[in-house]
Amino acid sequence: MTQNAMAHRANQAYRGTAVTVPPLKAVVMLHGGAITLLHQAIEAQEARRFEHGHDCLVRATAILRGLSHHLDCNRGGAVAERLYETYNALVLAALRSYGRPHAAANLRRIIASIAELREAWEYVAVTTRR
């Protein structure tokens, strides 16, 4: 799959979710989806189903790319810029890890980072509802 096609898929995933649920809930759900897909990538790699694992990894990174490309740096300022850098670093780390000897451990650290981001977005969602 080309870079352009992956960006399109990420865009479509984000837009499809954004239409049906509130934006902050969608962001939380997308983080959860990326986490689930990375867990599936680990399981597939351990089961030696490399093609399926790679597909899960590509889908997870497409979600993260979609999240990074929909940040509003004009409204979010330095926080949005830092989030953009963080999402891109997670994407690169995931792609570099897959297929390597310690991929499962690396992907679990990436999952932990995404889980922290998801918790932060959940907090934002709760506090903005008040």
Side-chain angles (χ1 to χ4, degrees):
M1 183 178 294
T2 66
Q3 258 324 54
N4 208 10
M6 286 191 304
H8 178 71
R9 283 180 67 185
N11 239 344
Q12 292 302 101
Y14 181 84
R15 287 179 187 199
T17 305
V19 170
T20 58
V21 296
L24 288 174
K25 177 129 176 98
V27 169
V28 172
M29 290 171 61
L30 287 165
H31 283 82
I35 289 168
T36 299
L37 287 165
L38 289 174
H39 278 297
Q40 290 174 359
I42 292 169
E43 292 169 6
Q45 184 174 350
E46 289 173 346
R48 305 190 59 78
R49 295 187 336 257
F50 298 112
E51 189 172 323
H52 176 68
H54 183 264
D55 183 50
C56 291
L57 178 76
V58 167
R59 289 172 55 204
T61 57
I63 290 171
L64 295 173
R65 277 194 188 101
L67 288 166
S68 74
H69 291 306
H70 283 85
L71 293 167
D72 186 349
C73 290
N74 292 328
R75 288 178 53 195
V79 173
E81 288 178 25
R82 183 67 182 140
L83 278 170
Y84 180 82
E85 293 169 3
T86 300
Y87 286 128
N88 286 323
L90 290 169
V91 167
L92 289 173
L95 292 173
R96 286 183 181 146
S97 294
Y98 195 74
R100 304 286 171 126
H102 302 291
N106 292 340
L107 290 175
R108 284 187 185 96
R109 282 194 294 274
I110 293 165
I111 289 167
S113 297
I114 297 169
E116 285 183 36
L117 286 169
R118 180 181 60 189
E119 289 173 16
W121 281 110
E122 286 173 340
Y123 177 78
V124 170
V126 168
T127 57
T128 57
R129 269 189 259 148
R130 294 181 187 159

